[in-house]
Amino acid sequence: MAPAHEIFPSPQDIKSNYQIEEVKFKDGTIIKKYIKPHPSSNNNSTTPKTTTTTSSSSSTSATLSNDKYTQSELNNIISHSDLVPGVYEGGFKLWECAIDIIEYMSTLSINFRNTSVLEIGCGHGIPGIYTLLGGATVTFLDYNEDVLRQLSIPNVYLNDINGAKIEQTTKFISGDWALVDNMLGDETKYDYMLTSDTLYSVASYGKLLSLIKH
C-alpha cells in the first residue's frame, strides 16, 4: 500500500525535451499535454514539438519507481500493462473516459470559478486542468508519485492556468486511497469530485466509496 503524501511542484517539472500535444474539445477548449519521448528514441532536441489532435486516448512512455522491481522490470510493466495492482495504476495512459468526462461537463455549462475540485486517479490531469481553466482550485490525486511528477504537474505548468501561481490553485497528493482519506482530514470538502476509468477491482470499491463519502 503506497503511503499518502503531498507532492510540491517546482518549475523544474517543466519538460523541455518532451513533445507537446494539444487536445481540442467540442466546446472549443484546448488543453496541452506532454508526451514523453521513448527512452530508445534518438531524438536529442531540447525544443518541444507541438502536434494537434481531436479528443482521443493515448499513452506515453515514462519511468516508474518501486523498491520491489528493477527499472528494467518497471519499464516492461509500463510498456506491456495498463496497470499492475499496488505497483502501477495506469496513470501514464490517457484513458478515453478522461476525455468523455470533459465533453460531458462542457454540455452542462458549469461555472467552476471559486469552486474546489478533487480529481481522483488523475494521471495526465486533463479533467482537473479543464476545471482549473474555469477558475477552480484543484487537488490532483494519483497512486503513483512518478505519474504526478512526470505528467500531472508538468501538464498544469504547460497550460499556464490564467497566469496564477500553481501553488495557489493546486495540490498534488500520491498514495493509496485509504491513506489519502486519513491524510485529508475531516474538514476537507470539495464542491466537485471527478474520476474516470478508475475502478477495476471489487476490492477497491470500499476505499473509493469511503474517500467520496469523506
Side-chain angles (χ1 to χ4, degrees):
M1 182 179 294
H5 59 285
E6 185 173 354
I7 309 300
F8 296 95
S10 163
Q12 295 178 349
D13 293 312
I14 298 173
K15 307 299 184 183
S16 62
N17 64 327
Y18 283 23
Q19 292 183 347
I20 298 171
E21 181 180 42
E22 293 182 343
V23 184
K24 291 187 175 182
F25 296 92
K26 294 176 182 177
D27 67 352
T29 300
I30 297 176
I31 295 178
K32 299 176 182 179
K33 70 181 187 70
Y34 280 114
I35 306 174
K36 184 177 181 181
H38 192 277
S40 63
S41 171
N42 291 322
N43 179 13
N44 295 318
S45 172
T46 58
T47 302
K49 297 181 179 180
T50 302
T51 59
T52 302
T53 67
T54 55
S55 52
S56 61
S57 63
S58 62
S59 59
T60 184
S61 176
T63 56
L64 192 67
S65 301
N66 188 283
D67 293 339
K68 296 181 180 179
Y69 296 85
T70 66
Q71 189 58 61
S72 176
E73 290 171 331
L74 290 169
N75 288 342
N76 185 64
I77 287 173
I78 297 172
S79 299
H80 298 92
S81 304
D82 286 338
L83 54 90
V84 176
V87 178
Y88 167 56
E89 298 291 339
F92 288 124
K93 178 176 179 177
L94 179 57
W95 297 80
E96 291 181 1
C97 284
I99 302 300
D100 293 340
I101 196 172
I102 294 176
E103 298 289 19
Y104 175 69
M105 287 191 294
S106 71
T107 68
L108 302 178
S109 301
I110 300 173
N111 182 4
F112 286 107
R113 185 167 299 279
N114 298 322
T115 62
S116 58
V117 175
L118 172 66
E119 185 179 359
I120 303 170
C122 63
H124 288 247
I126 305 302
I129 290 171
Y130 179 85
T131 66
L132 274 172
L133 290 169
T137 58
V138 181
T139 297
F140 293 88
L141 169 60
D142 199 274
Y143 185 88
N144 293 108
E145 176 180 344
D146 298 279
V147 170
L148 292 173
R149 291 197 179 279
Q150 296 178 45
L151 277 180
S152 314
I153 294 174
N155 282 344
V156 171
Y157 272 116
L158 181 63
N159 284 276
D160 187 24
I161 308 301
N162 300 323
K165 291 185 177 180
I166 184 174
E167 62 269 17
Q168 296 176 351
T169 56
T170 61
K171 181 180 289 188
F172 301 88
I173 298 176
S174 72
D176 188 274
W177 290 337
L179 300 179
V180 169
D181 191 13
N182 295 330
M183 177 183 172
L184 290 175
D186 294 335
E187 301 302 318
T188 304
K189 304 295 179 184
Y190 295 94
D191 297 306
Y192 298 95
M193 287 182 284
L194 310 176
T195 189
S196 59
D197 278 320
T198 305
L199 285 174
Y200 59 89
S201 169
V202 174
S204 299
Y205 288 9
K207 289 190 287 187
L208 179 59
L209 177 60
S210 177
L211 180 60
I212 292 173
K213 290 174 66 177
H214 176 100

